Amino acid sequence: MTDDTAAASAKRAVTFWIFAFVGAMFGTALLLRTTAIVPAPWGMAVLIAPMLLLIPLVRAAEAMQRQTGCDSAAAVRYNRRILFASFLYVAGLAAALILFKGQDVSKPVAALLSLLPTLPVFGIIWAMGRYIVEESDEYLRARTVSAALVATGLLLAVATFWGFLTTFEVVPNVPMWAAVPVWCFGLGIGQLVNKVRGA
Amino acid sequence: MKNRLKVLRAERDWSQQDLAERLEVSRQSVNAIETGKYDPSLPLAFRIADLFAMRIEEIFQRD
């Protein structure tokens, strides 16, 4: 197999696993929402099953990075850390929801419960920071930093606009934890910008 | 910035991967530098110059 066909095949594998993962997550969420198979607070725990598809997705992404010549030891460590933190996040959120909805909890206990999904997200933020510190390839690091700046700009812009829309009662309040998913979405946009600019 | 990296590499019959391994960077970095999409830092430019046993300005020129 030539390098080009191997790279194309690796890209197809990544696309397949992305569709499989997103489809399984949405399918499971839809099933939980429309049926009463699993009681509400336990629904989040069930989502751990389709999340297992992240493992072959990350493996396929790493194979693609090897084929396209942008693999690095720091990126592999980053992938492993993000994967581990993501599973902890869903498990922590599920545990917090089950404990919170199951009984009347006091404010200090509720504050402790909120740490269950929060700490893994701190882990995700730490993993992003470590990647930039550990990446020894300056070009790959510069691309990530550039994408991170796009993400930060997007988050600030969206938060400001949404905030004023809320002030003038156009849209409802959004929980502050939405900041990390919005930033991650911005990171994806930033990587797309890198691609379009040919950087 | 212009550079002669592609020519120097071809003279030695090295692939981008060969050069990337010698410089301890990714193949995509070599590609980005060769095509002028990315200007290397001074330390990396010195590593490139050392590898080809040349001065930096013999490899990299102003546009």
Side-chain angles (χ1 to χ4, degrees):
Chain A
M1 207 186 302
T2 65
D3 279 359
D4 283 350
T5 49
S9 157
K11 277 179 189 169
R12 275 198 301 276
V14 171
T15 309
F16 169 79
W17 286 114
I18 287 174
F19 276 104
F21 168 69
V22 174
M25 286 297 280
F26 273 102
T28 309
L30 196 69
L31 200 70
L32 290 169
R33 218 180 162 83
T34 52
T35 65
I37 302 171
V38 182
W42 291 87
M44 187 56 71
V46 175
L47 282 178
I48 291 175
M51 268 193 75
L52 289 171
L53 291 173
L54 276 177
I55 296 169
L57 170 57
V58 167
R59 281 175 189 272
E62 286 175 355
M64 186 185 77
Q65 285 171 337
R66 278 194 297 277
Q67 291 298 333
T68 53
C70 53
D71 56 319
S72 77
V76 170
R77 279 196 296 277
Y78 167 79
N79 291 338
R80 301 283 189 275
R81 287 166 180 164
I82 293 286
L83 198 60
F84 183 64
S86 300
F87 277 104
L88 278 187
Y89 168 73
V90 174
L93 182 57
L97 287 175
I98 291 163
L99 292 169
F100 184 70
K101 291 191 176 166
Q103 53 217 301
D104 248 354
V105 293
S106 62
K107 286 258 186 237
V109 173
L112 284 176
L113 288 181
S114 73
L115 281 176
L116 289 176
T118 299
L119 291 177
V121 175
F122 286 177
I124 290 172
I125 297 166
W126 171 81
M128 289 168 179
R130 284 308 301 168
Y131 171 69
I132 290 170
V133 171
E134 291 175 5
E135 181 54 81
S136 59
D137 187 306
E138 62 178 53
Y139 170 66
L140 297 181
R141 188 173 58 234
R143 275 197 332 180
T144 304
V145 169
S146 162
L149 285 175
V150 171
T152 306
L154 185 84
L155 173 62
L156 293 175
V158 168
T160 303
F161 187 39
W162 196 274
F164 280 116
L165 287 174
T166 309
T167 303
F168 296 109
E169 298 175 2
V170 181
V171 294
N173 262 316
V174 167
M176 296 283 281
W177 51 251
V180 173
V182 170
W183 191 88
C184 290
F185 175 74
L187 194 66
I189 300 283
Q191 283 158 349
L192 209 64
V193 170
N194 280 343
K195 219 169 214 154
V196 171
R197 285 171 50 211
Chain B
M1 211 158 55
K2 288 183 294 187
N3 69 76
R4 298 177 52 222
L5 215 52
K6 195 173 181 177
V7 175
L8 294 170
R9 182 170 62 75
E11 282 171 1
R12 285 154 183 81
D13 202 22
W14 290 346
S15 65
Q16 285 188 342
Q17 185 62 41
D18 293 334
L19 180 56
E21 283 168 13
R22 284 175 164 86
L23 293 170
E24 295 179 343
V25 298
S26 65
R27 181 167 61 79
Q28 211 164 63
S29 296
V30 169
N31 184 57
I33 296 168
E34 268 189 16
T35 52
K37 288 174 188 163
Y38 177 74
D39 293 331
S41 66
L42 209 46
L44 180 53
F46 271 116
R47 257 162 50 210
I48 294 169
D50 288 346
L51 182 66
F52 290 110
M54 298 170 95
R55 286 180 301 158
I56 288 179
E57 57 270 36
E58 290 175 301
I59 303 172
F60 295 96
Q61 292 98 32
R62 274 188 285 264
D63 275 326

